[in-house]
């Protein structure tokens, strides 16, 4: 028979990664590589089947999918018994002749996001399909879903990565509808039209207008646990960086009581480690670009005080917010009882060490500082992080529109200034995600790189090799044994086998490109 509404995601999106979400970045790597560094083999230890009950109902699910589940039920269009959030490997148990909508949440379905593009595919380090793209294709083309479509069900795909899907790709994969944008208000209307209206002409790509996005009090409360215990505290950003979709959306902060409700739901389902999610958690509660210290401290204090919460983490924090608000960082660290081995990892964006590119593409990013101060702002934030047991996982953008050799060299100099701060730094190819984003000439990470890009790759490799062992050791302590084993193997292979080959390759390519460009080698004194 089946459920009328089935919500799911592929294995890479639904996974818990042994309790360590940062391991999820491995799925952006190519499926095949050298025998001693095979992501596919490592994923066999980490990418286990997501947990479910005896009916195929997911124990945890992506935060966005949980919002859509709640929105459908709150709308009254369907009852709780008519909707299931299911794990992908048990779809045959929940999809049947009564199924009318199969909703799939995606993050990077075609491997076109910055991390996947850098590591995999036609522009990446290794020209092979990314693991996440493979698992998405495997999900939507499987016989259970395609049989349901023949019986009248609609396959609807949405989520942060929906922008990647074109009409041609939809036809190739057997997708009926793609929904781009925040769907909590729109999706129930779509389901109502499918269930009780005249249906919808397919294939269809529906771009939800920002005016149809939910306000902060319209974001539905969770009804089930999320992967990684992720609880959204804010949505949007407002800084307007020209390459970033979230910064172009209006900023909304959820009420503290709603956040606490979602934390308690996670705890009740066994998720005792909570990850507070926002583009910049330090700006929670503020509708200006300044940090509201009292609201941020109250947020962390009340979440940490929820009975059953074991630990509290964050997804993202802005370096400028940290540099301007040392006291806030210090008090959060005290609340969370951080120390040198129990630290707070977070994602953040350096993007470039060039004040010129900061001014051109993201002039509000350094606020309350000036674009000309950006390198100093970054180092100050890293220093504050080190003093308070915060560990940045920072991105750099390669091939920003208008990038010059001087811009990249300034980024090299900044990376070398950060050598002594515990952190990871990741260079990612520029990807214009969606309509309206400024375009740049496509660049292959290796083949099209200039000598100055290889200077950057060398500096980043040296930095990460300095820190990866200690970070992997500390971070994997609470992981599933299989995940801990996989990361231990990966780090040791990189240190003992890959490093020698990588250093030789980078040096050879750098010298070859310098000779080709007929330039004087860039001279600088490395950090000791």
């Amino acid at each position: 028979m089946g459920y009328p509404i089935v919500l799911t995601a592929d294995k890479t999106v639904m996974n818990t990664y042994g309790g360590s979400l940062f391991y999820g970045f491995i799925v952006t790597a190519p499926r095949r590589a050298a025998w001693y560094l095979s992501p596919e083999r490592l994923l066999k230890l980490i990418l286990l089947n997501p947990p479910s009950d005896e009916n195929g109902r997911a124990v945890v699910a992506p935060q966005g999918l949980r919002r859509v589940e709640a929105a459908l039920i709150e709308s009254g269009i369907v009852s709780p018994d008519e909707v299931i959030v299911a794990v992908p490997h048990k779809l045959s148990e929940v999809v049947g002749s009564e199924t009318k909508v199969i909703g799939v949440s995606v993050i990077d379905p075609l491997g076109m996001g910055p991390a996947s593009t850098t590591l995999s595919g036609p522009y990446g380090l290794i020209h092979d399909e990314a693991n996440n793209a493979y698992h998405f294709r495997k999900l939507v083309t499987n016989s259970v879903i395609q049989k349901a479509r023949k019986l009248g069900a609609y396959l609807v795909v949405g989520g942060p990565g929906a922008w990647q899907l074109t009409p041609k790709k939809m036809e190739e994969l057997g997708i009926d509808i793609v929904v781009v944008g925040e769907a909590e208000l729109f999706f129930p209307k779509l389901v109502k039209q499918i269930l009780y209206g005249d249906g919808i002409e397919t294939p269809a790509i529906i771009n939800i207008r920002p005016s149809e996005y939910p306000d902060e009090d319209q974001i539905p409360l969770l009804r089930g646990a999320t992967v990684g215990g992720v609880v959204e505290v804010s949505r949007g950003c407002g800084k307007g960086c020209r390459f970033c979709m979230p910064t172009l959306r209006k900023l909304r902060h959820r009420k503290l009581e709603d956040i606490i409700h979602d934390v308690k739901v996670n705890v009740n389902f066994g998720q005792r480690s909570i990850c507070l999610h926002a583009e910049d958690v330090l700006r929670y509660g503020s509708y200006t670009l300044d940090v509201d210290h009292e609201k941020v401290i109250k947020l962390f204090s009340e979440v940490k005080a929820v009975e059953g919460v074991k630990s509290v983490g964050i997804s993202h924090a802005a370096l400028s917010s940290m540099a301007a608000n040392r006291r806030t960082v210090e008090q959060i660290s005290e609340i969370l009882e951080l120390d040198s081995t129990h630290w707070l990892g977070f994602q953040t964006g350096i993007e470039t060490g060039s004040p010129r590119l900061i001014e051109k593409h993201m002039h509000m990013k350094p606020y309350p500082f000036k674009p000309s101060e950006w390198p100093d702002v970054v180092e100050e934030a890293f220093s504050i992080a080190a003093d308070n047991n915060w560990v940045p996982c920072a991105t750099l953008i390669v091939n920003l529109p208008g990038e010059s050799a001087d811009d990249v060299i300034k980024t090299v100099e900044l990376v070398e200034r950060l050598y002594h701060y515990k952190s990871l730094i990741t260079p990612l190819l520029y990807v214009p995600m969606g309509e309206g984003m400024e375009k740049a000439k496509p660049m292959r990470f290796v083949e099209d790189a200039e000598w100055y890009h290889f200077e950057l790759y060398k500096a980043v490799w040296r930095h990460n090799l300095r820190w990866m062992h200690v970070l992997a050791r500390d971070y994997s302590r609470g992981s599933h044994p299989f995940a801990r084993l996989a990361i231990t193997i990966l780090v040791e292979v990189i240190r003992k086998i890959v490093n020698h080959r990588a250093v030789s390759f980078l040096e050879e390519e750098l010298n070859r490109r310098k000779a080709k460009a007929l330039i004087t080698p860039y001279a600088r004194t490395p950090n000791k």
Side-chain angles (χ1 to χ4, degrees), residues 35-260:
W35 65 267
Y36 50 80
L37 192 65
S38 171
E40 192 172 25
R41 291 179 181 176
L42 288 172
L43 285 173
K44 289 181 179 179
L45 295 174
I46 297 176
L47 201 63
L48 306 178
N49 283 333
S52 66
D53 65 15
E54 64 276 8
N55 298 316
R57 189 179 300 274
V59 175
V60 297
Q63 197 253 173
L65 206 59
R66 288 296 190 198
R67 298 288 176 207
V68 170
E69 171 196 29
L72 278 172
I73 295 171
E74 287 182 15
S75 71
I77 293 170
V78 293
S79 69
D81 294 337
E82 295 176 302
V83 182
I84 186 170
V85 178
V87 292
H89 61 284
K90 290 189 176 180
L91 287 180
S92 61
E93 300 176 22
V94 299
V95 173
S97 59
E98 297 297 318
T99 301
K100 301 303 179 186
V101 177
I102 302 171
V104 175
S105 180
V106 296
I107 295 176
D108 189 8
L110 303 184
M112 293 171 59
S116 300
T117 299
T118 303
L119 294 174
S120 312
Y123 300 102
L125 189 62
I126 297 175
H127 301 317
D128 190 40
E129 183 180 33
N131 279 280
N132 48 15
Y134 164 75
H135 283 283
F136 171 72
R137 176 166 51 83
K138 182 179 177 182
L139 171 66
V140 296
T141 60
N142 81 57
S143 59
V144 174
I145 289 179
Q146 293 304 319
K147 180 180 178 181
R149 289 183 67 233
K150 292 177 181 178
L151 295 175
Y154 288 79
L155 176 55
V156 183
V157 177
W163 62 272
Q164 299 179 10
L165 294 162
T166 62
K168 180 179 179 181
K169 186 58 68 170
M170 291 171 66
E171 181 179 0
E172 177 186 324
L173 297 174
I175 298 169
D176 299 299
I177 303 170
V178 169
V179 178
V180 181
E182 298 179 21
E184 288 96 338
L185 300 182
F186 174 81
F187 191 64
K189 299 175 185 177
L190 177 64
V191 170
K192 183 178 181 180
Q193 184 176 350
I194 291 172
L195 293 181
Y196 308 115
D198 298 326
I200 185 169
E201 186 176 345
T202 61
I205 297 178
I206 302 170
N207 289 282
I208 304 173
R209 296 188 299 270
S211 61
E212 297 180 85
Y213 288 0
D215 293 330
E216 53 268 27
D217 58 353
Q218 293 177 307
I219 298 173
L221 302 178
L222 296 178
R223 300 176 66 91
T226 58
V227 172
V230 171
V231 172
E232 188 176 36
V233 300
S234 304
R235 187 177 293 188
C237 172
K239 285 196 172 182
C241 298
R242 295 170 64 182
F243 59 85
C244 180
M245 292 176 71
T247 68
L248 301 177
R249 300 202 310 249
K250 67 177 181 179
L251 178 62
R252 288 145 290 170
H253 301 294
R254 301 181 65 220
K255 293 184 293 187
L256 185 54
E257 54 263 41
D258 290 348
I259 294 169
I260 296 301

Side-chain angles (χ1 to χ4, degrees), residues 3 12 17 28 32 36 42 79 98 114 141 146 211-212 248 250 307 323 338 341 360 377 388 390 453 491 494 514-515:
Y3 290 82
T12 67
Y17 296 96
T28 65
R32 297 174 182 84
Y36 50 80
L42 288 172
S79 69
E98 297 297 318
T141 60
Q146 293 304 319
S211 61
E212 297 180 85
L248 301 177
K250 67 177 181 179
E307 185 177 356
L338 303 179
T341 58
K360 176 179 173 64
V377 171
N388 291 280
W390 290 37
H453 292 120
V491 170
I494 290 174
K514 282 180 175 178

